[in-house]
Amino acid sequence: MKFIRTVWGRERGRWARDQLTPSQAVVYYRLRDLFEVGDYEEAEAGARALAAASRRFWDRGPVVEWLAGAMATAAAIAHGRGAEVLAELDALISDLERTAGAGRALLLDVRVNRVAALVVQGRYAEAEAEADGILRAAVRIAHFTKVWGIEMSTLANLADALCGQGRYEEAEAIARGNLPRAPAGAAAALHCALVCSLNGQGRHEEALAEARRLTPLWFRAESGALAIGTAAALHGLGRRSEAEATARQALDACEQFLHPIHPRIQEARTLLSRITAEDLLT
């Protein structure tokens, strides 16, 4: 299931504060709070307005525009519109590759979000290669900035990319190995990846038990993800009525909280169609 794990860490907070005027900082942190509670539409719109306004403050350099652009693209991806902002991400990465210091961590944030955008487009091998590069780069800068959030979000996206390539055992190893130390958002993503990897191996009883083992904190970006994994496990076990009900719940959640072009909506519809079509044949 395509979780779309973006990162927008508080780890960039001090560096961001040093680059902003007091009035810009007020706007920026308000937008960051909106992003963290799942108000992606307003966070993206506000970040784009901040980026446009920052072009009048070139005495401080382009950093404000970079920060705002990174937030705007992260919000778009979390909402399910990763394909729309891939070119924007590439341009932002090109600019940030010339930075140094804590700006390198912002570059990795944006690269993590690019991995998420690649995963939802089914470009799994590219996503895997990019994730591997991010993990190597994170080690190189860990001595002067926090990279824990970057690593966890990268690993969550890497697990999804491996599932997309049918490499379920590798995805399971990543998810199990990192779940105990992951923060809430990344833990939710790794939990879904673990369920997906178990389903992919035909271990549906284990997948169902894992899906029901805990109820993670709700994040808007994860809407429907765990329910899809649960429905797939129930379907694999031949419990079709339960699978259909759960798939419908997943679809309802996706349609309620995600953008209409979010790939998870189609994933839920496809699963529901497969379940109901088999019912008609029995």
Side-chain angles (χ1 to χ4, degrees):
M1 67 206 81
K2 299 177 178 67
F3 186 84
I4 312 183
R5 175 58 187 167
T6 57
V7 60
W8 189 251
R10 290 182 174 270
E11 297 159 1
R12 247 47 73 217
R14 181 175 299 176
W15 181 74
R17 186 167 57 248
D18 292 342
Q19 315 301 318
L20 304 174
T21 66
S23 60
Q24 289 171 334
V26 169
V27 174
Y28 175 79
Y29 289 118
R30 180 181 67 82
L31 294 173
R32 190 185 66 180
D33 290 343
L34 288 171
F35 178 90
E36 290 183 348
V37 299
D39 194 344
Y40 303 130
E41 299 92 333
E42 188 169 350
E44 181 184 357
R48 294 196 182 284
L50 178 60
S54 74
R55 298 186 184 103
R56 300 193 296 271
F57 299 101
W58 288 113
D59 58 308
R60 300 183 68 84
V63 176
V64 178
E65 189 171 359
W66 291 342
L67 285 164
M71 183 184 293
T73 50
I77 296 166
H79 198 199
R81 294 171 29 250
E84 294 181 10
V85 297
L86 190 56
E88 186 178 354
L89 287 167
D90 289 339
L92 186 55
I93 288 169
S94 180
D95 286 342
L96 286 166
E97 283 175 340
R98 297 188 288 271
T99 67
R104 302 297 291 181
L106 178 62
L107 168 62
L108 294 187
D109 284 347
V110 178
R111 287 180 64 188
V112 171
N113 294 339
R114 185 174 185 273
V115 174
L118 291 171
V119 167
V120 301
Q121 293 181 71
R123 296 163 62 177
Y124 302 120
E126 293 175 69
E128 179 189 1
E130 180 75 352
D132 287 341
I134 292 168
L135 293 172
R136 289 193 298 271
V139 171
R140 293 196 294 271
I141 68 169
H143 62 288
F144 67 83
T145 190
K146 295 179 181 179
V147 296
W148 182 48
I150 290 170
E151 291 174 339
M152 289 296 100
S153 294
T154 302
L155 288 166
N157 284 318
L158 177 58
D160 225 357
L162 292 170
C163 281
Q165 297 176 76
R167 292 158 59 186
Y168 299 112
E169 294 86 353
E170 295 172 70
E172 180 188 359
I174 289 174
R176 287 196 187 280
N178 291 283
L179 260 170
R181 67 190 185 103
L190 287 166
H191 187 221
C192 288
L194 178 56
V195 173
C196 179
S197 70
L198 293 170
N199 276 324
Q201 296 173 70
R203 294 158 59 186
H204 302 301
E205 287 279 9
E206 293 176 67
L208 183 60
E210 182 61 40
R212 292 177 169 175
R213 181 175 62 84
L214 54 85
T215 302
L217 293 175
W218 184 81
F219 294 90
R220 183 181 174 189
E222 77 178 47
S223 297
L226 189 57
I228 289 174
T230 303
L234 291 165
H235 184 221
L237 293 169
R239 295 161 60 175
R240 291 180 182 167
S241 61
E242 295 173 77
E244 180 179 348
T246 306
R248 291 191 187 280
Q249 292 171 5
L251 180 57
D252 288 345
C254 290
E255 291 179 335
Q256 180 178 356
F257 294 110
L258 304 177
H259 191 276
I261 67 170
H262 197 298
R264 197 178 302 134
I265 295 176
Q266 186 56 50
E267 186 177 6
R269 287 174 178 163
T270 299
L271 176 59
L272 180 58
S273 295
R274 187 163 67 248
I275 294 168
T276 55
E278 290 185 7
D279 284 343
L280 292 173
L281 295 174
T282 59

